[in-house]
Amino acid sequence: MISSRRVFVVTQIAAILALIYATNTQTCDDVSDSTTCNSSDEIPTGKYATWDEAPKSIEEFDHDNDRSVCRLPFISVEEWEEGRYWERDVPVIVRNVTDHWKALEHWTKEEMVRRYPDVMVGMGASRDLGQTGPDDAGDALTKTTIKDFIVNHMHEADKYVFDRKLNMPDGLLEDCMPYPMPTRMYHEDAEAVINSGLQNRLMWKDHLALTIGRDLQGLTFHRHNAAWNTVIFGTKRWLLYDSVRFEHNITRLKRMTRDINNPIQLTGADWIRKLYDVDERKE
């Protein structure tokens, strides 16, 4: 994914669907210091040598909406921090947050397998993760390593890594620094943030998640509090709904996320195919 499209989305909303689909990604030849990508040892990368070589569905799931349709403000990470946008009750799209992240080099497919082969992650069906939430999936998650997932499981049907834990290996965390504010504030002085009197659910803590998935993977339609999300390689299509329409109305939220005649949650791809243009979802 080219640099100008690397953004993170900050949401203060009730419901969200994000669908991952593969697009052109940066390879070792694209990074400024390509020496990190060369090795005399062959690194296994599974069915496809790079993220970019895998199948893509952008033609089906991309959109040609004018920027005004989105209606979200586009700001730089400098504007985000100077304006303390995390204190505002509004979603925004923030540009250039990853400009200095080592992840742009260290998370190419080959480099990720080389650097973090034995890191343990939770693997499961994306629909199960969306149904219960990744923290409560329990037995639905299978423990594996980053290398094992990428090489052996990534392109199996409905295999997805969504691992959210406080103690990710230092290398993975350092690859994503500097954190944007206010997560950086918590990282630098957690005690001060904890003692600030802010409600725990409103703290932007180091409760970070790592996700890896093939084309069309992603959690099912879900809701959460304020958060930020950054795509390092690939692309996500986001469908965002404001919180007002769901306030004190869990029934309407369920109607939005599911077919009322079939209570089982659809995958992100099938939700777009079957429900996106139906009834109140178009409002």
Side-chain angles (χ1 to χ4, degrees):
M1 185 168 63
I2 60 176
S3 177
S4 62
R5 294 186 64 189
R6 286 194 194 97
V7 299
F8 72 70
V9 179
V10 182
T11 60
Q12 187 83 27
I13 56 179
I16 183 170
L17 183 145
L19 178 68
I20 298 174
Y21 52 90
T23 59
N24 290 338
T25 58
Q26 191 180 44
T27 63
C28 288
D29 293 336
D30 299 321
V31 300
S32 58
D33 179 11
S34 60
T35 57
T36 60
C37 297
N38 299 323
S39 172
S40 58
D41 299 323
E42 183 175 351
I43 302 297
T45 54
K47 191 173 182 179
Y48 305 98
T50 67
W51 305 125
D52 184 40
E53 292 182 16
K56 308 170 182 63
S57 59
I58 189 170
E59 291 186 4
E60 179 180 2
F61 290 98
D62 200 13
H63 64 83
D64 58 358
N65 290 336
D66 184 83
R67 171 174 162 172
S68 62
V69 174
C70 181
R71 298 193 298 273
L72 294 184
F74 283 72
I75 62 175
S76 69
V77 69
E78 292 78 18
E79 291 172 317
W80 159 262
E81 299 199 353
E82 290 172 5
R84 300 182 68 87
Y85 274 80
W86 60 90
E87 296 177 348
R88 308 185 187 189
D89 190 17
V90 59
V92 294
I93 296 177
V94 186
R95 297 185 185 275
N96 71 294
V97 69
T98 64
D99 280 358
H100 303 291
W101 282 18
K102 294 179 181 179
L104 301 180
E105 299 176 23
H106 296 177
W107 290 14
T108 62
K109 195 173 189 181
E110 181 178 346
E111 279 298 293
M112 178 163 270
V113 173
R114 185 200 314 276
R115 291 173 181 273
Y116 309 115
D118 300 320
V119 172
M120 298 300 298
V121 292
M123 172 181 69
S126 57
R127 184 155 55 185
D128 292 339
L129 290 167
Q131 197 95 336
T132 62
D135 292 333
D136 299 318
D139 294 338
L141 286 178
T142 301
K143 285 297 181 182
T144 185
T145 63
I146 283 181
K147 179 179 179 180
D148 182 52
F149 175 77
I150 290 176
V151 174
N152 299 313
H153 301 293
M154 183 171 174
H155 293 280
E156 294 177 6
D158 216 13
K159 286 291 193 298
Y160 187 50
V161 162
F162 192 119
D163 204 294
R164 184 159 59 196
K165 52 190 176 183
L166 295 179
N167 296 311
M168 286 187 186
D170 290 342
L172 280 170
L173 293 175
E174 290 169 1
D175 286 345
C176 300
M177 292 183 182
Y179 296 149
M181 292 290 281
T183 302
R184 188 170 73 249
M185 185 190 309
Y186 184 90
H187 175 74
E188 293 173 349
D189 194 347
E191 185 176 356
V193 175
I194 292 171
N195 293 332
S196 67
L198 194 65
Q199 296 180 48
N200 186 66
R201 66 181 182 84
L202 298 178
M203 292 183 189
W204 295 63
K205 302 195 299 183
D206 53 349
H207 194 57
L208 304 177
L210 171 69
T211 65
I212 309 173
R214 63 173 175 82
D215 187 50
L216 297 188
Q217 288 289 13
L219 296 185
T220 52
F221 207 121
H222 60 285
R223 66 183 298 275
H224 54 69
N225 294 318
W228 57 267
N229 185 293
T230 305
V231 180
I232 306 299
F233 290 99
T235 296
K236 277 191 175 186
R237 179 174 177 180
W238 290 86
L239 286 83
L240 309 179
Y241 291 93
D242 62 272
S243 61
V244 175
R245 70 179 68 207
F246 306 114
E247 192 171 9
H248 310 302
N249 195 340
I250 191 65
T251 301
R252 191 178 194 197
L253 176 61
K254 290 181 177 179
R255 286 204 311 269
M256 292 285 289
T257 59
R258 303 172 185 177
D259 182 347
I260 59 174
N261 297 314
N262 183 1
I264 298 175
Q265 285 188 315
L266 298 174
T267 64
D270 283 340
W271 190 94
I272 292 176
R273 289 172 177 141
K274 299 177 181 180
L275 298 181
Y276 181 41
D277 286 328
V278 178
D279 301 330
E280 60 196 288
R281 300 176 191 88
K282 298 176 67 175
E283 297 176 6

